[in-house]
Amino acid sequence: MDMKEIKKDFPILDQSIRGHRLVYLDSAATTQKPKIVIEAIQRYYETMNANIHRGVYHLSEISTLAYEETRKKVAAFLGAKDARSIVFTRNATEAINLVAQSWGGKHVGEGDEILLTEMEHHSNIVPWQLLAQKKGAILKYVSVQSNGTLDLNSIDSLISERTKIFAFTHVSNVLGTMNPVKALVEKAHERGVLVLVDGAQGAAHLPVDVSDLGCDFYAFSAHKMLGPTGVGGLYGKLDLLEEMPPMLGGGEMILEVHKEYSTWKSSPEKFEAGTPNIADVIAFSKAIDYLKKITMEVVHQHEKELTQYALARLMELEDFTLYGLKDAQHRAGVISFNYANIHPHDLGTLLDHQGIAIRTGHHCAQLLMRTLQVPATARVSFYIYNTKEDVDAFMLALIKAKEYFNRGTRSAR
Amino acid sequence: MALEALDDLYREVILDHFKNPRHHEPLTVHDVEEEGFNPLCGDQLFVQLKIEQGVIQDIASWGKGCSISQASASILTEILKGKKIEAVERDIQFFKDVMNRRSDLDQQDMGDLEALVGVRNFPVRIKCALLGWTTVEAALKQFKQVEGGRCKKIQS
Ligand SMILES: Cc1ncc(COP(=O)(O)O)c(C=O)c1O
């Protein structure tokens, strides 16, 4: 597959920003969308819009079918054996909240422990804090070592009799660290602890097989994998989902409604109260088709090559600080750094004016920022549409930014 | 368009204040200290005020953040030092109005604030410029509330 051709499938990338070719290096925040996904949204509204699971007429039938086909496709893409173990949500955040509120609400009590890591996105911290505060449970954290990896040796001692669940990210959205999910799942299961994997940066970039990984829950966001915003999902082991109470009540999820009580459907309908984001779920299936055509192995390989190329060049710069592993073999296509004593925010503005979009700030990972002892970093992240030319443009822009910022008053601090 | 388009944001005065911040050392004695935080970018700022008979006798600010937030805080120390609390409050409101393009202030003399006016053309950075000012505002509020305007001196 010619990766250079891929860019042409992404209309948004064919534009200039302030007179420069747009170089989009913020795919860890959200990815751009290929034409087939954009067109699918329009086609849905033009040809099949109707509420699902409700009408007996043709339009409702075909939209219901397309919605449920997407569920099957997602299940197959993630290696889930049964489509009923895929629940559609708004995003990964909502998927994690669903587990914390529904499963956690039922199974976590006073004095119980929840194990997290210091490299988590706020999405995989705050839902557990809400649960812990409500139940009087205790949060514990696996620390991050100076090389950007988890302190795996500490996990055995961090797990106790009271530990109920271990929730950690598949891939760090700041450091690009890929956590050894399967080994961690085994460790946790040996001690009777369930595992939730925050797959927001996982499913988008790596081949994922939840059955092989053995995790109990896996959360993901469509918008980080070429799909539309407003769609995400939760994979859960079916027996767990079946015994979990619903998080939201309403239409679609019920069997019978009485004045005092109702009964509800089984998974996944039980967790999908109200009219879902039908159009975007259906368009998401085109994103999966697109990724499957390229294959996730190639996606990962491409990102690895770009990361390797970028790291080699970046490390030659003076005043360059890299966070996380130096070896591209073991990291995903995310590079966090600081450069030339220019605050990330200023760097972001200086690059933006050269057409280059990067992320700056704490990346919703304030615990990790504290561990790294920096208030903020700059971050570039790659996806299938990025090329070596993008990396070259970024490098050039960095150097120009430094020249510009150090002009005039040269009195160093 | 090249980086020169940013000259209005990164004026020499701003870069100078960023690289050589004024009133940057904590005070030996202060009446009130306040921490300001910009959750969007993690910028952090501390402000200390020494207030006597309703006048800002001394002021210090320091922190971690981008050039705009830190330069704005440095410029502010120069502008506010020696002023009466009421005048400071007026300045803060004026600066907010300028940043938010409220009313027709453009005709007025901006004084030393002039250096920061260019930030208005960069909407995402306005919050950065405001951080120091809202932190002083919070410090004054704290000063009035907690001590009823009659503050004990705190040794740093
Ligand atoms: C590791 C990680 N987890 C969770 C999320 C949250 O994703 P969403 O905002 O789509 O729910 C993100 C998004 O930045 C992420 O990078």
Side-chain angles (χ1 to χ4, degrees):
Chain A
M1 164 146 317
D2 185 359
M3 299 306 279
K4 282 221 177 84
E5 290 299 303
I6 284 180
K7 214 164 210 153
K8 293 184 186 149
D9 294 334
F10 292 79
I12 200 171
L13 297 176
D14 183 25
Q15 65 172 301
S16 47
I17 302 282
R18 307 179 208 278
H20 298 266
R21 176 175 74 87
L22 168 62
V23 175
Y24 184 75
L25 297 178
D26 194 19
S27 292
T30 194
T31 61
Q32 298 303 346
K33 320 303 173 199
K35 215 177 199 146
I36 53 163
V37 169
I38 301 166
E39 286 168 355
I41 296 172
Q42 176 154 7
R43 194 167 53 248
Y44 169 79
Y45 286 117
E46 285 179 357
T47 65
M48 57 200 293
N49 178 44
N51 213 326
I52 55 169
H53 301 303
R54 291 180 192 185
V56 291
Y57 51 87
H58 176 70
L59 286 183
S60 178
E61 253 173 31
I62 58 170
S63 62
T64 303
L65 199 65
Y67 184 87
E68 290 305 328
E69 279 303 314
T70 306
R71 197 190 306 278
K72 287 183 196 155
K73 214 175 260 182
V74 172
F77 184 76
L78 294 177
K81 297 214 164 70
D82 192 324
R84 286 178 302 154
S85 59
I86 302 294
V87 178
F88 286 121
T89 61
R90 283 188 302 135
N91 45 40
T93 303
E94 189 173 276
I96 297 168
N97 275 278
L98 170 58
V99 176
Q101 287 183 34
S102 169
W103 183 87
K106 185 167 172 183
H107 295 283
V108 173
E110 192 174 341
D112 284 342
E113 295 173 7
I114 298 159
L115 185 58
L116 309 171
T117 88
E118 279 178 359
M119 68 166 69
E120 295 315 305
H121 189 281
H122 296 163
S123 292
N124 199 25
I125 297 173
V126 184
W128 302 111
Q129 285 176 342
L130 293 174
L131 174 67
Q133 280 159 13
K134 199 162 141 194
K135 297 287 186 149
I138 297 156
L139 301 178
K140 289 193 169 174
Y141 291 89
V142 181
S143 58
V144 174
Q145 309 175 106
S146 55
N147 70 356
T149 62
L150 291 177
D151 182 3
L152 299 176
N153 293 329
S154 69
I155 293 176
D156 281 330
S157 59
L158 282 167
I159 294 179
S160 81
E161 298 290 292
R162 303 301 304 265
T163 311
K164 293 287 178 185
I165 192 163
F166 181 18
F168 59 87
T169 190
H170 192 166
V171 174
S172 161
N173 65 314
V174 177
L175 302 169
T177 312
M178 298 184 283
N179 288 321
V181 176
K182 200 170 172 176
L184 292 176
V185 169
E186 278 166 14
K187 234 183 228 285
H189 282 179
E190 260 169 34
R191 310 277 298 270
V193 174
L194 294 200
V195 171
L196 175 139
V197 178
D198 172 359
Q201 302 292 345
H205 303 279
L206 305 170
V208 169
D209 183 334
V210 288
S211 303
D212 179 52
L213 293 174
C215 55
D216 301 286
F217 300 105
Y218 193 97
F220 59 93
S221 275
H223 72 93
K224 291 192 196 280
M225 45 197 296
L226 306 181
T229 52
V231 177
L234 175 72
Y235 156 80
K237 282 186 179 157
L238 210 50
D239 54 335
L240 292 171
L241 293 176
E242 288 300 3
E243 54 98 30
M244 281 160 54
M247 178 169 79
L248 300 174
E252 209 85 83
M253 52 79 72
I254 45 85
L255 278 178
E256 277 178 44
V257 175
H258 301 275
K259 279 194 173 156
E260 310 300 336
Y261 72 96
S262 298
T263 56
W264 39 78
K265 293 178 181 161
S266 54
S267 180
E269 288 83 5
K270 174 171 63 177
F271 301 111
E272 295 180 8
T275 302
N277 189 349
I278 307 166
D280 293 307
V281 165
I282 290 172
F284 179 37
S285 81
K286 297 293 173 196
I288 292 180
D289 290 345
Y290 193 93
L291 288 172
K292 275 203 329 217
K293 207 171 86 197
I294 299 173
T295 77
M296 292 313 288
E297 285 77 13
V298 171
V299 170
H300 179 48
Q301 185 59 29
H302 177 68
E303 289 177 22
K304 201 153 80 179
E305 280 167 22
L306 281 182
T307 307
Q308 214 152 14
Y309 180 70
L311 277 181
R313 300 202 53 192
L314 289 167
M315 299 304 279
E316 285 172 7
L317 292 175
E318 258 177 63
D319 305 330
F320 183 84
T321 309
L322 174 76
Y323 302 100
L325 291 169
K326 295 189 169 55
D327 178 2
Q329 281 303 328
H330 300 289
R331 57 190 291 160
V334 179
I335 301 176
S336 278
F337 64 95
N338 267 303
Y339 178 55
N341 283 324
I342 306 176
H343 188 276
H345 247 179
D346 292 315
L347 197 60
T349 298
L350 292 161
L351 294 190
D352 177 45
H353 275 251
Q354 302 176 75
I356 296 171
I358 67 162
R359 178 77 188 272
T360 60
H362 54 58
H363 318 291
C364 302
Q366 289 183 5
L367 296 188
L368 182 57
M369 292 292 123
R370 251 167 253 146
T371 303
L372 299 174
Q373 297 186 315
V374 285
T377 74
R379 178 187 78 184
V380 291
S381 50
F382 306 121
Y383 211 31
I384 47 171
Y385 36 68
N386 291 120
T387 57
K388 286 189 174 163
E389 287 73 50
D390 291 349
V391 176
D392 292 340
F394 163 61
M395 293 295 305
L396 193 65
L398 272 185
I399 291 160
K400 280 196 184 161
K402 181 179 175 180
E403 275 169 19
Y404 177 82
F405 206 67
N406 290 336
R407 82 196 195 284
T409 54
R410 288 190 181 275
S411 43
R413 279 206 286 174
Chain B
M1 207 194 289
L3 286 175
E4 283 68 55
L6 290 173
D7 287 354
D8 204 29
L9 179 68
Y10 294 121
R11 296 187 189 180
E12 304 257 317
V13 187
I14 290 188
L15 292 182
D16 178 52
H17 272 273
F18 175 55
K19 289 170 184 171
N20 309 294
R22 324 290 199 263
H23 305 105
H24 198 53
E25 296 294 326
L27 303 175
T28 46
V29 180
H30 63 271
D31 293 287
V32 59
E33 176 176 311
E34 185 69 40
E35 181 181 358
F37 196 65
N38 183 349
L40 187 72
C41 47
D43 281 4
Q44 192 185 27
L45 199 74
F46 293 91
V47 166
Q48 286 181 342
L49 302 175
K50 182 164 168 268
I51 300 171
E52 242 148 60
Q53 292 172 337
V55 173
I56 310 290
Q57 287 292 342
D58 210 349
I59 181 168
S61 90
W62 67 96
K64 284 181 186 154
C66 69
S67 61
I68 305 301
S69 73
Q70 303 304 304
S72 181
S74 169
I75 291 171
L76 149 167
T77 61
E78 292 201 315
I79 293 177
L80 302 185
K81 187 172 170 176
K83 284 195 174 167
K84 282 209 168 82
I85 288 179
E86 297 75 39
V88 168
E89 285 169 342
R90 271 200 307 277
D91 279 357
I92 292 171
Q93 191 54 47
F94 179 68
F95 185 66
K96 283 186 181 173
D97 287 346
V98 170
M99 282 295 129
N100 296 323
R101 293 180 187 276
R102 281 250 328 274
S103 61
D104 52 346
L105 299 168
D106 284 3
Q107 307 311 320
Q108 285 197 36
D109 178 16
M110 300 283 168
D112 297 328
L113 290 178
E114 172 64 28
L116 287 162
V117 170
V119 179
R120 288 189 306 187
N121 299 327
F122 300 83
V124 290
R125 307 302 297 273
I126 290 176
K127 264 222 165 71
C128 310
L130 285 173
L131 181 61
W133 301 78
T134 51
T135 308
V136 173
E137 190 177 36
L140 288 175
K141 202 167 155 198
Q142 186 195 335
F143 177 75
K144 288 178 175 174
Q145 268 176 5
V146 177
E147 305 292 345
R150 287 177 46 239
C151 234
K152 293 188 290 290
K153 298 286 177 222
I154 303 161
Q155 299 282 344
S156 295

